[in-house]
Amino acid sequence: SEKLKMAGQLAAGIAHEIRNPLTSLKGFSKLLMNATGEQAERYYEIMDQEFVRIEMILGELLVLAKPQQTSDYRAQDVRLIMHEVADLLSSQAILSNVIIQEQMTPEPCIVRCDKNQLKQVFVNIVKNAIEAMPTGGLLVIAIERDGEDVMVKVVDQGGGIPENILRRLGEPFFTTKEKGTGLGLMISHKIIEEHDGHIRYDSRSGEGTTVTIRLPQSSGGHRV
Ligand code: ADP
Ligand code: MG
């Protein structure tokens, strides 16, 4: 019943999120019939943005559909995956004056995981951290071994997450951003769960956020 509830929530969310840009597309395509020149161009532009919006939402949902089909679990060093993500997002960070500092243990941090899925999680979390600091700041990414786990911390100096929002993280389509999809954390939570990991948020309004992800190590010798 939990799954059915989630499916219902998702379906309602998708319908709502897709209907808005569709309504707008319908309206502007009508207007376009009688428009010319600069006005027509302006309408095209708006319509293009709505198409991009629909594409973005569907793109994120497809990622959600993938895990069951194509999980590819291998022993991977989490430090390398995170380093690729930091590289990937470095230009976005620079644009908002965010400095990314990687603090990685020299010890290997091997986890049995689907690399692309874990990458998706790290992209979502690091992106959220960058987006939390629109006027810049320090973003620390720390990775170390902790007992039988690998511990990944993403620490930002953004506005923090108030308690009433903390409780809703991971709810499909829950976003406080004007252009957010509210799908990143839902997808991330699902992937981490499938990897037998945990994710937690430590945050107070005005004091930044620390996201901690724990994943079981595969080369610890304690796990088969
Ligand atoms: P989106 O980024 O599209 O809004 P997410 O699922 O990634 O969707 O995040 C949901 C919400 O969680 C965000 O809109 C934001 O309110 C909150 N959030 C997540 N990470 C952070 C963070 N590091 N700092 C502040 N708020 C955050
Ligand atoms: Mg996000």
Side-chain angles (χ1 to χ4, degrees):
S1 76
E2 197 54 27
K3 271 188 182 161
L4 264 179
K5 195 178 144 204
M6 171 97 170
Q9 237 178 7
L10 252 180
I14 294 166
H16 176 80
E17 293 293 321
I18 305 283
R19 187 192 277 146
N20 288 339
L22 270 184
T23 304
S24 157
L25 280 169
K26 219 169 147 186
F28 279 103
S29 71
K30 273 210 183 100
L31 286 173
L32 202 53
M33 284 198 296
N34 301 312
T36 51
E38 244 172 59
Q39 202 177 34
E41 239 167 68
R42 177 77 194 118
Y43 291 160
Y44 269 125
E45 234 169 69
I46 297 172
M47 290 173 76
D48 193 55
Q49 282 166 17
E50 302 292 10
F51 280 124
V52 168
R53 173 86 192 164
I54 293 176
E55 242 180 354
M56 193 165 89
I57 292 166
L58 292 182
E60 295 214 46
L61 285 170
L62 280 180
V63 173
L64 181 68
K66 261 179 203 159
Q68 291 95 346
Q69 297 161 7
T70 58
S71 286
D72 178 20
Y73 281 73
R74 291 165 199 233
Q76 309 265 5
D77 194 321
V78 174
R79 294 174 307 165
L80 300 181
I81 300 177
M82 183 56 101
H83 183 66
E84 282 180 30
V85 169
D87 244 15
L88 196 73
L89 296 177
S90 61
S91 50
Q92 193 189 329
I94 288 167
L95 280 177
S96 19
N97 285 319
V98 169
I99 294 167
I100 298 182
Q101 196 177 82
E102 293 177 50
Q103 297 175 359
M104 310 232 182
T105 172
E107 298 176 310
C109 295
I110 311 297
V111 161
R112 250 187 85 73
C113 64
D114 182 307
K115 183 179 172 183
N116 287 326
Q117 288 176 21
L118 211 52
K119 210 167 170 179
Q120 181 71 41
V121 172
F122 293 163
V123 165
N124 287 334
I125 303 296
V126 173
K127 255 196 178 162
N128 281 345
I130 295 172
E131 285 162 3
M133 299 186 283
T135 55
L138 182 66
L139 198 179
V140 175
I141 300 173
I143 299 185
E144 61 186 63
R145 294 189 194 175
D146 185 47
E148 294 187 13
D149 294 337
V150 169
M151 194 167 72
V152 177
K153 282 191 184 210
V154 177
V155 187
D156 71 56
Q157 300 178 317
I161 308 175
E163 192 139 355
N164 57 323
I165 287 179
L166 262 181
R167 272 185 274 121
R168 301 191 58 186
L169 296 185
E171 231 174 72
F173 299 104
F174 174 74
T175 182
T176 58
K177 299 170 193 171
E178 199 195 336
K179 295 205 166 162
T181 61
L183 290 172
L185 291 185
M186 178 197 60
I187 288 162
S188 302
H189 290 184
K190 185 173 192 302
I191 293 173
I192 293 298
E193 197 177 299
E194 274 170 6
H195 283 75
D196 294 324
H198 290 281
I199 183 163
R200 61 173 281 184
Y201 303 83
D202 292 292
S203 182
R204 231 171 271 162
S205 213
E207 288 180 26
T209 300
T210 299
V211 182
T212 307
I213 298 172
R214 286 177 168 279
L215 293 161
Q217 268 186 75
S218 82
S219 71
H222 303 290
R223 283 168 190 270
V224 185

